[in-house]
């Protein structure tokens, strides 16, 4: 495997489309309904601008940062995304290797193609979080939390925005069914997920989730529980009140409620409400170093992305994933230099302007 050849993250989508089978590609790329929110996620970064700074007398900006008591080379993070075996035979194991090599935080999905233990081992000691889709079956929830703990996972991301799956039309048109097993479901009485559509898979997950569920999960595990899919200040405070040790601002990459706002547009009000009580992870639509910069300046502590990393995985395995992370981090460094911000702490204190787009 060699370094991926690309100029920016947008290039990767077309290249990946040529090698991932149609159904799998539609599942990865797609959003819900007519994909307005999916598109808005990226265009909304234009609603704020970075002020170029001159005479700053600085060089060599550094992207190291700390969050959740962990140290990273970059504020970038791998969002939890299901079924990476659709993109590459090594699936999440190669993603874990690439993310670790880039010094970033890896998040595993409940619906991974490889098991919690195998993906953790591939990361070779680098920090990983595990994303939980809460099941109606609490024995299964406890089993996954136990497996995560045993594997040395450092945090639990509880996804709250998918009590039903969004109306994803590519999957319907392609009659998409997962062609590969979901390793964590093999102990599930209903089977391992292969040969099923997403509606069937999600049906086994809980449709009804409330603050009491966060309390129950936080009481069971001693790992920090991070509430994912928060899009309003009210819900951020509700989650923290129920014991969440982190807030993950996300609209699931425009795959759930179409017609909702871009996650960047809601980040400032959520950050103001959270007021540094807990760290904030942000994702949805991040494709540029300037997007990462703006998300940090608007209140995020870590900035995650999904699809471009999966495309990197498809095109170049672990090395491909590493290249995508390093490329985005290099773009961020250019922006940091041009904005006169030497550290991630400086970026977090940078003021954005809001001229009409
Ligand atoms: C996801 N996402 C997701 N989220 C989650 O909590 N559990 C999951 O299993 C998945 N699975 C998944 C699969 C695929 C193919 C995609 C693209 C996304 C959502 C993911 O964590 C993240 O919120 C989005 O990917 C962010 O948007 P971008 O960066 O892809 O635009």
């Amino acid at each position: 495997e060699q370094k991926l050849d690309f100029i920016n993250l947008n290039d990767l989508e077309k290249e990946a489309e040529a090698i991932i089978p149609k159904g799998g590609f539609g599942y990865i790329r797609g959003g819900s309904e007519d994909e307005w929110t999916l598109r808005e996620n990226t265009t909304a970064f234009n609603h704020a601008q970075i002020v170029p700074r001159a005479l700053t007398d600085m060089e060599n900006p550094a992207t190291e940062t700390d969050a959740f008591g962990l140290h990273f080379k970059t504020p970038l993070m791998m969002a939890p995304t299901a079924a990476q075996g659709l993109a590459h035979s090594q699936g999440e194991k190669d993603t874990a290797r690439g993310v670790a090599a880039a010094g970033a935080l890896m998040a595993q999905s409940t619906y991974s193609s490889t098991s919690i233990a195998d993906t953790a081992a591939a990361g070779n000691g680098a920090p990983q979080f595990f994303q939980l889709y809460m099941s109606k079956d609490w024995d299964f929830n406890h089993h996954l939390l136990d497996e995560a703990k045993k594997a040395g996972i450092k945090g639990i991301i509880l996804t709250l925005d998918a009590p039903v799956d969004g109306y994803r039309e590519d999957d319907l048109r392609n009659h998409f069914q997962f062609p590969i097993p979901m390793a964590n479901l093999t102990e599930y009485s209903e089977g391992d997920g292969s040969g099923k559509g997403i509606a069937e898979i999600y049906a086994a997950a809980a449709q009804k989730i409330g603050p009491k569920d966060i309390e129950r999960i936080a009481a069971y595990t001693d790992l920090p529980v991070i509430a994912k899919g928060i899009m309003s200040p009210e819900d951020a405070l509700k989650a923290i009140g129920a014991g969440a040790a982190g807030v993950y601002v996300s609209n699931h990459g425009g795959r759930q409620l179409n017609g909702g706002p871009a996650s960047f547009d809601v980040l400032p009000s959520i950050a103001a409400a959270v007021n540094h009580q807990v760290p904030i992870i942000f994702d949805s639509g991040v494709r540029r170093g300037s997007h990462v910069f703006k998300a940090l300046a608007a209140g995020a502590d870590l900035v995650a992305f999904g699809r471009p990393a999966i495309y990197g995985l498809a095109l170049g395995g672990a090395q491909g994933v590493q290249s995508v992370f390093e490329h985005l981090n290099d773009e961020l460094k250019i922006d940091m230099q041009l904005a006169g911000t030497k550290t991630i702490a400086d970026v977090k204190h940078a003021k954005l302007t809001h001229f009409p787009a």
Side-chain angles (χ1 to χ4, degrees), residues 61-63 332-344 347:
T63 60
L332 171 63
K333 276 189 182 167
I334 295 172
D335 298 332
M336 287 173 72
Q337 174 82 45
L338 296 176
T341 47
K342 189 160 173 73
T343 66
I344 296 302
V347 176

Side-chain angles (χ1 to χ4, degrees), residues 27-28 79-82 109 131 133 159 228 250 252-253 255 283-285 287 305-307 310:
Y27 169 72
I28 295 164
T81 68
S109 163
Q131 175 266 332
Y133 272 130
T159 297
K228 179 170 187 273
S250 169
H252 215 110
R255 298 161 72 81
D283 80 20
S284 296
R287 302 292 181 267
F305 60 102
R307 295 177 182 90
I310 305 174

Side-chain angles (χ1 to χ4, degrees), residues 4-86:
L4 275 191
D5 184 20
F6 63 100
I7 301 293
N8 64 49
L9 267 53
N10 298 320
D11 293 350
L12 299 169
E13 185 174 299
K14 270 190 225 77
E15 292 179 35
E17 184 170 14
I19 62 167
I20 302 174
K22 190 170 181 208
F25 180 78
Y27 169 72
I28 295 164
R29 185 213 60 79
S32 49
E33 298 180 7
D34 59 11
E35 302 186 337
W36 182 84
T37 299
L38 167 64
R39 289 188 297 278
E40 192 69 3
N41 274 339
T42 299
T43 54
F45 288 107
N46 296 328
H47 298 165
Q49 303 92 27
I50 307 164
V51 181
R53 298 300 303 271
L55 299 171
T56 56
D57 207 14
M58 62 150 282
E59 61 185 347
N60 299 327
T63 60
E64 280 84 8
T65 195
D66 293 300
F68 299 99
L70 302 164
H71 184 73
F72 305 104
K73 274 197 226 162
T74 169
L76 297 173
M77 166 181 170
M78 179 67 207
T81 68
Q84 291 171 20
L86 293 169

Side-chain angles (χ1 to χ4, degrees), residues 262-282:
S263 51
F264 181 66
D265 280 337
V266 299
L267 177 59
S269 62
I270 295 174
V274 170
N275 195 21
H276 305 284
Q277 291 175 73
V278 299
I280 295 179
I281 303 175
F282 170 88

Side-chain angles (χ1 to χ4, degrees), residues 288-330:
R288 287 287 183 184
S290 60
H291 302 163
V292 180
F293 188 110
K294 290 175 184 180
L296 292 167
D301 294 292
L302 294 175
V303 180
F305 60 102
R307 295 177 182 90
I310 305 174
Y311 299 144
L313 174 69
L315 294 162
Q319 178 64 250
V321 173
Q322 183 182 348
S323 305
V324 172
F325 272 79
E326 288 177 350
H327 175 86
L328 198 55
N329 201 62
D330 286 346

